[in-house]
Amino acid sequence: MIGIDKINFFTPNTYIDLVKLATYRGVDPDKYTIGIGQSKMAVPTITQDTVSMGANAAFPILEKKDLTAIDLVVVGTETGIDESKSAAAFIHQLLGIHPFAKSIEIKQACYGATAGLMMARDFVKTHPGRKALVIGSDISRYGLNTSGEVTQGAGAVAMLISENPRILAIEDTSIAMSENIFDFWRPNYSDTAIVDGKFSNEAYVKFFNLLWTKFTEETTYSLDDISAFCFHLPYTKMGKKALLPLLENESASVKEKLLAHYDLSTEYTRNIGNIYTGSLYLSFMSLLDNQTTSLKPNDLIAFFSYGSGAVGEIFSGRLIEGYEKHLDTANHKDMLTDRYDLSIEEYETIFNKEIPKTDGIHSLDEEKYEKGTFYLSHISNHQRHYEKRQ
């Protein structure tokens, strides 16, 4: 039995309230809060990037014994900080993991962390007694006063994968598919993504339907067997667009169960926004942290991962006896409650700050806002340097 032994997320300490933003932009707030289902949006300062957020997500869940047992570090991201060097190499060093470990980065839009999770599962299976660390870390960025502005966000998820996991045992059967499409992409010369929103939504639903049909054929599972379905959530309403048509011919009890759990799984995304590769696993944590007694040991959880361009995958896992004892629910909720509520002026100032692209030494300082354990402190001769807050 192999799966998720520990799991955690991190989001920057700064956010913008979307009712405030809607009012400033001259938009009906219901378009944001009801239409796409978002309430708050994480806004990263210049001192929080893919590396620091990933390290901040992983640091609280790793004990000394983990650092000596992790032989594989995989970071899934579509907002890497270097075209050659992996974010995992930085994180490996920041966390103090022993030197004889592989550290790599995977890119396939929002699917990267799932690719890493499957790689980690197979790695642990063939390396008894060893562990793997999988991180999804991203900054979703489309630009100020653009159509995609309110579907931005920032954050990271970290998962420790091991034998005899204490949260979720991942089942062997998973179904993936790929198709070369242009629903969303970001050329090397662009700092923001290019998206065909209508086409991307259609592709997401199409992938889900095809994968679910194939998954049920391979496993003989039906929706009645599943206690909850977790989705990649670029915004909270997206997964429901795929799920609702599937529920039309189901019993009232199945509909009620899956929709209730779906709503619980969207709570963190509603208050953070899109975190790309970590989004699916953020919804899983939201589900576990916000339910009380509705999920039991051995309950089957289904997962739909989607990365534009496009790769999708459906897989499943079973909750472990006592899983609730290994969640960090209180700290997760405190992190969201204690954030700094930015003014419009602060939000736009932070958004417009850029990493210097010239040679030399550049100090970066956001002390007013910064609360992360790890942060980007300065750039020296094009090299990023991170500090650990004591």
Side-chain angles (χ1 to χ4, degrees):
M1 185 167 60
I2 295 167
I4 300 173
D5 187 55
K6 300 178 184 180
I7 188 168
N8 187 45
F9 78 85
F10 173 84
T11 190
N13 184 50
T14 40
Y15 75 93
I16 185 74
D17 183 278
L18 293 185
V19 171
K20 180 193 302 182
L21 183 62
T23 302
Y24 182 75
R25 298 283 187 236
V27 175
D28 181 353
D30 287 352
K31 182 177 180 181
Y32 297 166
T33 59
I34 298 175
I36 63 171
Q38 296 300 120
S39 298
K40 299 174 182 177
M41 183 176 76
V43 179
T45 61
I46 202 167
T47 51
Q48 286 298 329
D49 64 6
T50 301
V51 167
S52 61
M53 291 192 303
N56 281 324
F59 180 71
I61 62 174
L62 299 182
E63 303 172 62
K64 187 174 182 180
K65 62 182 180 180
D66 298 321
L67 300 177
T68 60
I70 293 171
D71 283 350
L72 175 66
V73 181
V74 184
V75 174
T77 185
E78 57 180 281
T79 51
I81 52 102
D82 190 279
E83 292 288 347
S84 177
K85 185 175 180 178
S86 75
F90 289 92
I91 292 172
H92 180 173
Q93 180 266 329
L94 288 173
L95 296 176
I97 294 168
H98 74 91
F100 299 102
K102 303 177 192 176
S103 295
I104 62 170
E105 181 176 307
I106 292 178
K107 178 181 71 179
Q108 175 43 54
C110 300
Y111 172 75
T114 299
L117 178 62
M118 295 306 163
M119 180 185 294
R121 179 194 63 182
D122 294 345
F123 180 88
V124 172
K125 187 180 295 185
T126 57
H127 296 79
R130 310 308 291 170
K131 300 179 182 182
L133 177 64
V134 178
I135 293 171
S137 182
D138 274 297
I139 295 171
S140 174
R141 183 178 171 93
Y142 302 117
L144 298 175
N145 204 18
T146 64
S147 60
E149 180 178 28
V150 295
T151 60
Q152 299 177 126
V157 166
M159 298 176 282
L160 185 66
I161 311 305
S162 73
E163 299 169 317
N164 303 312
R166 290 174 289 181
I167 295 176
L168 184 82
I170 300 172
E171 298 193 316
D172 287 337
T173 301
S174 67
I175 304 296
M177 64 175 286
S178 301
E179 187 176 345
N180 182 26
I181 59 176
F182 283 90
D183 59 327
F184 175 103
W185 70 104
R186 183 172 71 83
N188 288 344
Y189 53 78
S190 176
D191 290 332
T192 57
I194 300 168
V195 59
D196 183 337
K198 183 175 183 293
F199 180 39
S200 191
N201 288 346
E202 291 170 351
Y204 179 107
V205 174
K206 170 191 164 183
F207 267 61
F208 175 74
N209 288 331
L210 291 173
L211 286 165
W212 174 249
T213 298
K214 184 71 171 174
F215 183 78
T216 56
E217 292 172 356
E218 294 289 330
T219 63
T220 70
Y221 286 145
S222 69
L223 287 178
D224 191 41
D225 297 310
I226 293 170
S227 295
F229 223 126
C230 291
F231 288 80
H232 162 60
L233 296 174
Y235 53 92
T236 66
K237 289 294 183 70
M238 187 65 248
K240 190 172 281 188
K241 291 181 180 181
L243 181 60
L244 282 176
L246 210 63
L247 297 178
E248 288 179 357
N249 298 318
E250 296 294 328
S251 67
S253 61
V254 169
K255 291 179 183 177
E256 181 180 0
K257 171 187 65 177
L258 292 179
L259 288 176
H261 284 152
Y262 178 84
D263 287 342
L264 294 174
S265 76
T266 65
E267 187 61 27
Y268 287 165
T269 296
R270 183 182 306 279
N271 290 289
I272 294 173
N274 190 2
I275 64 168
Y276 286 163
T277 52
S279 169
L280 171 60
Y281 305 100
L282 183 67
S283 71
F284 177 51
M285 276 182 281
S286 183
L287 169 68
L288 297 188
D289 285 348
N290 288 295
Q291 66 90 33
T292 51
T293 60
S294 59
L295 291 175
K296 309 294 184 186
N298 205 45
D299 274 358
L300 185 66
I301 312 296
F303 297 83
F304 173 56
S305 182
Y306 178 77
S308 291
V311 177
E313 184 164 359
I314 288 180
F315 65 97
S316 56
R318 292 192 180 273
L319 293 175
I320 304 297
E321 178 79 42
Y323 74 89
E324 68 280 358
K325 299 174 185 176
H326 304 287
L327 305 176
D328 202 8
T329 304
N331 284 332
H332 291 163
K333 295 191 174 184
D334 286 346
M335 188 190 312
L336 296 182
T337 301
D338 295 341
R339 292 179 296 170
Y340 185 96
D341 184 1
L342 295 166
S343 67
I344 295 294
E345 182 181 7
E346 288 173 314
Y347 159 59
E348 294 192 339
T349 298
I350 288 173
F351 190 94
N352 285 322
K353 282 191 176 181
E354 295 183 347
I355 296 292
K357 296 179 180 178
T358 58
D359 202 356
I361 299 175
H362 305 279
S363 180
L364 307 174
D365 181 21
E366 292 287 5
E367 187 63 33
K368 177 181 178 181
Y369 308 113
E370 186 59 69
K371 286 177 66 176
T373 299
F374 297 98
Y375 61 96
L376 177 62
S377 64
H378 64 282
I379 308 289
S380 177
N381 298 319
H382 303 296
Q383 298 176 15
R384 295 191 179 214
H385 296 269
Y386 297 85
E387 301 289 341
K388 181 180 179 183
R389 193 176 307 280
Q390 299 303 319

